[in-house]
Amino acid sequence: MSSTHDVFSKHKENKMHWEQGTVYDVAWSSDGNLLTASGAKGPVRSWRLGRGGHKEGDEHKGLTSDIERLAWCPPTHDGNLLAAASYEKHVYLWDQRSGSVQQTLTTNKANSELQWMQSGKYLLVASRDEGIDVFDVANTQQPVVSATADGSLNAARWSIDGQLLFLATHAGNVEVYSWPAMEHVTVVPAHAASCNCLGVDPRGLVLATGSADATMELWNMEDFSLMRTLPEFESPLMFTEFSMDGRYIASASDDLEIKIHETEGALVHKLKLSLLTTALAWHPRNLAFAYGSTAPSKSGAKPAVTIFL
């Protein structure tokens, strides 16, 4: 562990009321007041956070147990919209004001990834084996772009300025495309094994990649040169996420812990866990994050949605 000051040493784990089984995804609203989660055994649920702590949470009408991915729209477009992707070929746009599904998008694919462009104008929906669809939220009848990746697709991210798309593949590469032309810009040869996850620095400076080879790599977004490799893992990485200020990266693997690194590479905190991490999301305004978990069938432990704050 680095001697760097640990700003997370006084954080505590706060568990939400959760009865929906394995957590599929967690997402914060753009103002950070709502934490939303989907799971295997029940409807999507949100908790409104405030000075009085968290409540039991409210179920989202129309969003049932088949929701795999969640993403709140950025405030630049409409922070009241929640995108919720089911594995079975649909994405629902749920409106917080009416408390109901406003629109349904059809992808004809098994949805595994969901990402808003920072402007909120476009929504990317990815399938592990069938590529991506990008929808213009002003006209959602059909995608404005459909494209396939070179090999199985594990993760997708927009650049902060919305001019690039990053696609992480099973081959270990990151395919980079321009937007909206969808011209192939370059290939980042990130890992020898599958590239499982991506993180984009909100300052637009660094791209993080996590791999089945149990390493995280940080890449300069200007020329895609390798800045550093972080080898402090013993099993494949599944999540690499930047804090709201870009100073920290939280990562999770099957090591039963969440590690927090400075972007410069120093390891500043380890959060020991008893369950496998299935979802991870930083708060949009504070140095806090939420994570979801699953439990081995014979462990007797219960999956949980937890805020580390």
Side-chain angles (χ1 to χ4, degrees):
M1 184 81 69
S2 167
S3 60
T4 301
H5 177 62
D6 183 1
V7 299
F8 303 96
S9 60
K10 295 184 179 180
H11 280 40
K12 298 183 183 300
E13 296 168 79
N14 303 281
K15 294 188 183 299
M16 307 291 101
H17 176 76
W18 182 254
E19 301 289 344
Q20 280 92 324
T22 294
V23 180
Y24 286 160
D25 204 4
V26 295
W28 294 96
S29 60
S30 58
D31 59 10
N33 290 332
L34 284 177
L35 172 63
T36 306
S38 62
K41 295 182 179 179
V44 170
R45 179 179 288 269
S46 279
W47 298 267
R48 185 169 294 279
L49 309 182
R51 293 180 180 177
H54 62 81
K55 299 180 180 179
E56 292 293 291
D58 298 314
E59 294 182 352
H60 287 238
K61 181 180 177 181
L63 300 181
T64 56
S65 58
D66 65 341
I67 300 300
E68 296 267 336
R69 292 290 176 262
L70 301 165
W72 283 95
C73 185
T76 45
H77 178 72
D78 188 345
N80 290 294
L81 280 184
L82 171 69
S86 73
Y87 187 75
E88 294 298 332
K89 305 179 180 181
H90 292 98
V91 176
Y92 305 99
L93 297 183
W94 187 90
D95 194 317
Q96 182 181 189
R97 291 158 295 202
S98 64
S100 62
V101 173
Q102 183 185 70
Q103 297 182 67
T104 300
L105 288 58
T106 301
T107 64
N108 294 316
K109 297 174 180 177
N111 304 315
S112 60
E113 182 75 279
L114 194 60
Q115 295 288 327
W116 289 97
M117 181 187 281
Q118 192 65 26
S119 68
K121 178 175 173 57
Y122 295 105
L123 178 64
L124 180 150
V125 188
S127 168
R128 192 172 300 278
D129 298 315
E130 300 172 85
I132 65 168
D133 288 329
V134 180
F135 291 87
D136 184 336
V137 293
N139 182 7
T140 58
Q141 291 185 350
Q142 60 184 13
V144 293
V145 165
S146 293
T148 57
D150 184 13
S152 295
L153 178 63
N154 292 331
R157 292 290 187 274
W158 298 95
S159 63
I160 298 302
D161 61 11
Q163 295 184 16
L164 297 174
L165 271 175
F166 306 109
L167 306 179
T169 69
H170 184 71
N173 300 322
V174 179
E175 305 285 344
V176 184
Y177 292 86
S178 65
W179 180 265
M182 282 303 290
E183 295 176 347
H184 193 259
V185 176
T186 190
V187 177
V188 181
H191 300 273
S194 175
C195 185
N196 291 339
C197 48
L198 295 172
V200 175
D201 175 5
R203 301 167 298 181
L205 302 176
V206 183
L207 175 71
T209 61
S211 172
D213 64 11
T215 64
M216 184 190 344
E217 293 185 336
L218 304 182
W219 302 83
N220 187 321
M221 292 270 281
E222 202 167 294
D223 58 5
F224 298 109
S225 59
L226 179 62
M227 298 168 62
R228 58 188 58 89
T229 299
L230 307 180
E232 298 112 335
F233 305 92
E234 297 179 3
S235 60
L237 270 80
M238 304 309 295
F239 300 96
T240 53
E241 299 289 345
F242 282 89
S243 61
M244 55 34 173
D245 57 4
R247 294 169 54 201
Y248 300 99
I249 312 167
S251 58
S253 66
D254 292 343
D255 295 348
L256 292 181
E257 60 185 14
I258 294 174
K259 293 183 172 74
I260 305 174
H261 288 83
E262 290 182 336
T263 308
E264 289 74 18
L267 177 62
V268 296
H269 192 85
K270 290 183 182 180
L271 178 60
K272 297 291 185 180
L273 307 173
S274 58
L275 301 174
L276 294 173
T277 301
T278 55
L280 178 64
W282 282 93
H283 190 278
R285 298 187 178 183
N286 298 313
L287 288 178
F289 57 77
Y291 62 94
S293 62
T294 188
S297 57
K298 297 181 181 179
S299 70
K302 290 181 62 176
V305 175
T306 305
I307 300 176
F308 184 59
L309 174 64

